[in-house]
Amino acid sequence: MTPVLEIRDLRVKMPTPRGHVTVVDGVDLTAEPESIAGIAGESGSGKTITMLAVLGLLPPDAIVEGSARLAGRELIGLPERELRAVRGRRMAMIFQDPLASLHPMLTIGRQLTDHMRAHLGLGRAKARARAVELLAEVRLPDPAGMLDRHPHEFSGGMRQRVAIAMALACEPEVIIGDEPTTALDVTVQAGILRLLDRLRRESGVTVVLVTHDLGVMSALADTLSVFYSGRVVETGTAGTVLRRPRHPYTAGLLAALPSPEAKVDQGVRPIPGTPPVPGDRPSGCAFHPRCPHGVDQCAVEVPAPVELDDRHRFACPPDPFAAGRTS
Amino acid sequence: MSRLEISGVHVAYGKGRRAAEIVAGVTLAVRPGQIVGLVGESGCGKSTLARAAVGLLRPSAGTVTFGGRPVTPLGHRARHVSLLPLQMVFQNPYACLSPRRRIGDQIGDGFRDDDGGSGGSGSRSHSRSRRAAELLELVGLPPSLRERYPHQMSGGQRQRAALAAALAPSPEVLVLDEPFASLDVSGQAQLARLLTDLSGELGVGMLLISHDLGIVKQIADELYVMYLGTIVEHGPTLELWRSARHPYTRALIAAIPHADGSGRIPEALAGDVGDPRTPPPGCRFHPRCPYSVEECETRPPPLTEVLPGRAAACWRHEDVAASADSPTTEEKPAGPSTGPITILKKEDR
């Protein structure tokens, strides 16, 4: 199957007062049709910058190299005019804070229909009818009545449903969700997770899900790529990566999560130290100063990815978690 | 003997028809060395309760005492010295640290005069600087950070620096409002470990307020679950986690996603936290409750002891206890509704 989204060797350098700093360093990522591709990592790991680069939303003085193809078509270096036709129409984005992507003074109906009239050329009545369908699709009660309301009249969970309806409006091939449930209560988050799962199955949209929350990844993602300091350190099916992590950073993140049981000793085992800031990345493997399994070569060589049969790849040649080894 | 006692506290905002009772009668206590977790969804009144607990808000009814003395807001006058060992760590460390002063000086503000060193002012300032360095080390930061300003630190470092400042007057009780909210996974785990150590080694009692039951249940000795201004259940953490008696506690637990690679989607709870200006009659949770019966719509259930050391406010707590799992609900409209109960599972990978 041709991937819907294929990112190859993407590099991004962002401008800082001290010159350009590499924040994304050779990222590969593939999203198959109708799948949910997860991107995990802590803040500053480059996961959001990667997606903004794909959408052409970085500031003009950022340097972007490499390739990102949407259904075979190269996006990197595309003129702004053509990018505008891609954004919203063929790729849509859902942000952490839905208030930031909704206009506070305009009704929900106006915002949904403007979008469809601009991109799809629908007439006023048709756009309005489709807006009602979309709000029903994301399970908002009384969809027709919702159209005349303003964003502040909705709760956080309902706003995020509106933002998802807007993302779906033009039937995009790819929806990028950047921490779409992070600002929500867990009870509300679970509803949004169910919604995204159903949309993926029913409308066949591909979702790129960016979040630091590995619990959310476990619930939704088919594939999972773990970012650390601008590089993908481990990738594979979500089940494999979460159950049998091979990179010490993935293993460390999982051990740092609260265990499913309460009040157990060593319930959380923090990774020592802090993630590097962009521009101050350690030599060799960027994780080596925090890694309990490091060997001498880790501080010198950027680790080459080790590839296993089931498309499970990880950038840790010492492979401390290989079967048969005690870690 | 409890250090911090909150007894029948109500907090109301506004007047007349706009009046809203954000906290509607909460009783809880924190003993030395004990971590008490207070969890609930946003809008349930937990942050308001935190502010009442340290005397930043005046309760409209009920009392807060610290070591037997009443905790009351003093307006613009200084806080009574006896309240110094009651400290608060705020959700946003940027908002409680001055952007214009060095971290070490801000930590030094909190030292009590009697333990700031003796002799001339020179030796006192030297001793303060040394003790600020010790506190930074205690919270896992390099002592050199005392020369820095808040903007020169990362979010996780600022959260720890704010904690160090709260520890300066040698507190007996800390009230922490969403301390994990601004941190990454590894930062959360580090802070959880640190709080456990502080309560164990220094005997600091803590009221730990968070919407994240997943992390709170890991370190809290006791849990209080709050819904729309009231406590709906409390008891020892492990017991509550394993056999919750209130449907809301069950819903909170069932909604937590686990990174087990199983592909299981957590259970959603339909509807939103109600409006505190017009709380539902009867049990405040009944519009969202899968166990709701007629009685729940008219009579508010009292918080009663259901087992030794455990209390729940639910007319049907015995039925809840008898059901093995919480009922599974299909994805429902975001508004209050009562749809059919079916099971929706993600296909196995």
Side-chain angles (χ1 to χ4, degrees):
Chain A
M1 238 186 316
T2 345
V4 179
L5 185 66
E6 191 168 30
I7 299 174
R8 285 288 165 264
D9 200 25
L10 190 77
R11 289 160 200 278
V12 178
K13 296 188 182 77
M14 294 292 282
T16 69
R18 289 170 295 142
H20 279 78
V21 160
T22 302
V23 289
V24 177
D25 191 10
V27 161
D28 291 337
L29 196 87
T30 305
E32 305 285 354
E34 297 177 36
S35 74
I36 296 185
I39 300 184
E42 295 178 275
S43 43
S45 62
K47 54 193 196 304
T48 296
I49 299 284
T50 299
M51 295 331 296
L52 292 177
V54 169
L55 288 163
L57 288 174
L58 290 176
D61 45 357
I63 301 171
V64 182
E65 296 163 342
S67 160
R69 289 171 182 273
L70 175 67
R73 184 186 190 199
E74 183 60 55
L75 297 174
I76 304 299
L78 213 59
E80 180 59 25
R81 263 179 80 89
E82 290 176 51
L83 269 175
R84 286 182 76 113
V86 170
R87 286 196 298 255
R89 173 73 186 85
R90 301 186 58 197
M91 290 178 96
M93 193 144 180
I94 311 166
F95 294 93
Q96 175 171 341
D97 176 10
L99 267 192
S101 51
L102 295 172
H103 194 295
M105 305 287 284
L106 300 178
T107 62
I108 294 301
R110 169 80 191 277
Q111 299 188 57
L112 273 166
T113 54
D114 271 3
H115 183 55
M116 288 185 283
R117 293 175 71 195
H119 276 296
L120 304 178
L122 294 184
R124 197 179 296 270
K126 266 197 176 154
R128 206 170 158 87
R130 169 114 175 97
V132 174
E133 279 174 32
L134 284 166
L135 292 181
E137 174 95 10
V138 297
R139 299 282 195 270
L140 278 172
D142 182 26
M146 291 288 168
L147 287 185
D148 298 319
R149 301 221 206 159
H150 291 85
H152 74 264
E153 296 176 73
F154 293 80
S155 67
M158 289 164 92
R159 273 182 212 133
Q160 200 56 291
R161 284 175 192 264
V162 171
I164 292 171
M166 271 179 88
L168 287 170
C170 299
E171 297 180 338
E173 286 133 280
V174 178
I175 291 182
I176 297 171
D178 190 2
E179 305 275 5
T181 61
T182 304
L184 305 174
D185 280 307
V186 281
T187 50
V188 177
Q189 163 174 282
I192 301 288
L193 296 181
R194 279 172 188 267
L195 171 63
L196 289 173
D197 182 54
R198 182 172 57 80
L199 292 175
R200 177 267 299 266
R201 281 187 281 117
E202 289 176 5
S203 56
V205 66
T206 300
V207 179
V208 178
L209 180 66
V210 180
T211 178
H212 72 282
D213 189 331
L214 294 178
V216 167
M217 286 301 181
S218 172
L220 279 189
D222 297 298
T223 59
L224 178 57
S225 300
V226 181
F227 275 54
Y228 189 77
S229 196
R231 298 186 185 125
V232 176
V233 294
E234 180 155 14
T235 183
T237 64
T240 307
V241 173
L242 294 173
R243 275 187 286 225
R244 290 185 294 280
R246 294 285 279 269
H247 195 285
Y249 176 61
T250 316
L253 272 185
L254 285 164
L257 292 176
S259 78
E261 186 55 275
K263 286 299 285 180
V264 282
D265 277 344
Q266 308 290 309
V268 286
R269 291 190 298 276
I271 305 174
T274 49
V277 289
D280 195 16
R281 184 170 57 193
S283 62
C285 171
F287 187 60
H288 85 262
R290 304 174 73 191
C291 183
H293 307 284
V295 296
D296 289 348
Q297 85 192 62
C298 299
V300 188
E301 274 174 52
V302 176
V306 180
E307 185 142 12
L308 305 174
D309 318 335
D310 53 351
R311 301 203 303 169
H312 186 183
R313 272 186 293 135
F314 57 97
C316 185
D319 197 7
F321 297 105
R325 284 197 203 180
T326 50
S327 49
Chain B
M1 176 65 193
S2 301
R3 293 302 296 166
L4 179 66
E5 288 196 36
I6 295 170
S7 168
V9 163
H10 293 245
V11 181
Y13 289 129
K15 286 205 172 87
R17 282 177 58 198
R18 297 188 60 83
E21 201 170 51
I22 308 295
V23 178
V26 168
T27 298
L28 64 80
V30 181
R31 291 195 303 273
Q34 186 191 33
I35 302 183
V36 174
L38 177 68
V39 297
E41 289 169 283
S42 46
C44 75
K46 52 193 192 303
S47 291
T48 300
L49 182 66
R51 298 176 79 84
V54 295
L56 287 171
L57 280 176
R58 185 183 296 278
S60 47
T63 56
V64 179
T65 60
F66 178 68
R69 284 171 161 274
V71 177
T72 44
L74 290 175
H76 295 291
R77 281 162 42 218
R79 257 162 84 94
H80 194 274
V81 69
S82 67
L83 292 183
L84 259 181
L86 174 63
Q87 288 290 320
M88 179 152 177
V89 178
F90 292 89
Q91 178 169 1
N92 177 0
Y94 238 149
C96 62
L97 293 171
S98 164
R100 299 181 55 173
R101 296 179 61 220
R102 293 175 202 276
I103 290 297
D105 295 340
Q106 298 194 47
I107 294 173
D109 288 348
F111 294 135
R112 291 190 249 179
D113 280 345
D114 56 323
D115 52 23
S118 54
S121 63
S123 82
R124 171 176 290 190
S125 90
H126 179 75
S127 143
R128 287 190 164 215
S129 168
R130 183 178 46 77
R131 293 194 52 230
E134 284 168 11
L135 279 174
L136 285 169
E137 276 195 292
L138 182 67
V139 300
L141 290 175
S144 59
L145 283 188
R146 67 183 188 276
E147 299 301 325
R148 299 246 185 119
Y149 293 94
H151 73 269
Q152 295 171 308
M153 308 168 80
S154 72
Q157 288 177 330
R158 274 198 294 274
Q159 184 61 268
R160 283 155 182 262
L163 180 60
L167 289 171
S170 311
E172 291 159 28
V173 172
L174 277 180
V175 176
L176 302 115
D177 188 14
E178 298 279 4
F180 301 108
S182 57
L183 302 176
D184 265 320
V185 179
S186 53
Q188 287 187 351
Q190 287 169 352
L191 181 63
R193 177 60 61 82
L194 175 61
L195 294 180
T196 311
D197 291 349
L198 288 175
S199 76
E201 289 165 20
L202 304 182
V204 181
M206 296 185 196
L207 178 58
L208 175 59
I209 292 167
S210 173
H211 68 280
D212 189 347
L213 178 56
I215 185 110
V216 172
K217 67 120 178 11
Q218 216 60 251
I219 62 171
D221 303 302
E222 272 200 38
L223 277 181
Y224 285 79
V225 181
M226 193 166 179
Y227 186 79
L228 205 53
T230 59
I231 299 296
V232 296
E233 183 162 15
H234 88 84
T237 303
L238 191 54
E239 288 183 40
L240 225 68
W241 182 257
R242 287 188 177 161
S243 61
R245 288 290 187 105
H246 196 286
Y248 181 61
T249 313
R250 292 217 165 188
L252 279 184
I253 292 171
I256 299 173
H258 295 290
D260 53 9
S262 67
R264 197 186 66 83
I265 301 183
E267 302 300 333
L269 176 61
D272 292 303
V273 177
D275 184 341
R277 281 172 299 190
T278 53
C283 172
R284 293 179 166 213
F285 184 60
H286 88 259
R288 303 173 79 187
C289 182
Y291 291 89
S292 176
V293 291
E294 221 178 307
E295 184 174 28
C296 307
E297 296 168 20
T298 50
R299 295 175 55 210
L303 188 65
T304 45
E305 187 164 69
V306 291
L307 288 169
R310 289 188 54 183
C314 178
W315 293 120
R316 299 192 62 197
H317 69 85
E318 279 170 357
D319 301 325
V320 177
S323 73
D325 308 294
S326 32
T328 307
T329 49
E330 204 201 334
E331 188 201 321
K332 283 197 231 170
S337 78
T338 45
I341 290 173
T342 46
I343 294 172
L344 184 84
K345 257 203 165 136
K346 197 182 168 193
E347 59 271 84
D348 293 327
R349 16 178 116 78

